[in-house]
């Protein structure tokens, strides 16, 4: 999670909401990293999770990220939750809860919806205070 926090800090440098993500393989090796780049690129889908998933799939040469873990500083939104399910990530680890847009247990629970064909394990609250503090400081400055 500390590496994801470092990614989140990079997002803030370009005016993006400070969210960072990593994809790890089964052995815990970092396959990819990403941070929000919506402001930087003008791409509404450039969320940290989506970028990290895309880069991991490219590195593995497969869209199936079976056995992988996504580590992210903020609870994924519905778009990112959909990407998680579609990419077959096995585990999602996140820091801060997102009561306004979270789709991994807070507002919705897309990633564990029994109607879907894939449901990753969810681990929440890892370094939650640090992750939340980064977001709070960013929005206070705005």
């Amino acid at each position: 999670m500390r590496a994801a926090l470092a990614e989140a800090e990079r997002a803030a440098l370009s005016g993006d909401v400070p969210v960072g993500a990593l994809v790890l393989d089964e052995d815990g090796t970092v396959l990819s990293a990403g941070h929000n780049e919506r402001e930087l690129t003008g791409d509404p889908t450039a969320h940290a999770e989506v970028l990290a998933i895309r880069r991991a799939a490219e590195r593995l040469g497969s869209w199936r990220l079976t056995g992988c873990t996504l580590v992210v500083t903020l609870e994924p939104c519905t778009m990112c939750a959909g990407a998680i399910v579609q990419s077959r990530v096995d585990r999602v680890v996140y820091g801060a809860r997102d009561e306004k847009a979270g789709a991994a247990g807070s507002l919705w629970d897309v990633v564990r919806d029994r109607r879907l064909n894939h449901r990753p394990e969810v681990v929440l609250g890892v370094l939650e205070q640090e992750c939340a503090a980064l977001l709070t400081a960013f929005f206070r400055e705005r």
Side-chain angles (χ1 to χ4, degrees), residues 7-20 34-48 51 73-74 134-135 137-139 141-142:
E7 281 294 320
E9 290 171 0
R10 288 184 188 100
L13 295 175
S14 62
D16 276 287
V17 175
V19 177
H35 55 269
N36 278 356
E37 295 182 11
R38 292 185 307 169
E39 297 297 331
L40 181 67
T41 63
D43 178 357
T45 68
H47 287 207
L51 296 174
T73 58
L74 180 64
L134 186 59
L135 290 158
F138 175 80
F139 285 112
E141 290 178 20
R142 296 191 134 227

Side-chain angles (χ1 to χ4, degrees), residues 10 16 28 40 48 52 57 83 85 107 109-110 112-113 119 130 139:
R10 288 184 188 100
D16 276 287
L40 181 67
V85 170
L107 189 57
D109 202 353
V110 172
R112 292 180 287 196
D113 189 317
R119 290 176 298 282
E130 291 92 331
F139 285 112

Side-chain angles (χ1 to χ4, degrees), residues 54-138:
R54 285 178 186 161
R55 292 169 184 156
E58 183 177 336
R59 181 165 177 191
L60 292 175
S62 174
W63 62 267
R64 288 182 183 89
L65 300 183
T66 306
C68 292
T69 298
L70 175 74
V71 178
V72 60
T73 58
L74 180 64
E75 180 180 356
C77 69
T78 54
M79 177 184 69
C80 294
I84 290 163
V85 170
Q86 292 301 314
S87 65
R88 309 300 195 268
V89 166
D90 280 349
R91 183 176 303 102
V92 177
V93 177
Y94 71 84
R97 293 173 60 91
D98 186 348
E99 300 293 337
K100 294 181 180 179
S106 290
L107 189 57
W108 297 287
D109 202 353
V110 172
V111 295
R112 292 180 287 196
D113 189 317
R114 295 231 174 256
R115 295 169 292 182
L116 300 176
N117 64 336
H118 179 74
R119 290 176 298 282
E121 173 188 1
V122 176
V123 178
L124 58 102
V126 176
L127 297 181
E128 183 173 11
Q129 304 242 348
E130 291 92 331
C131 293
L134 186 59
L135 290 158
T136 299
F138 175 80

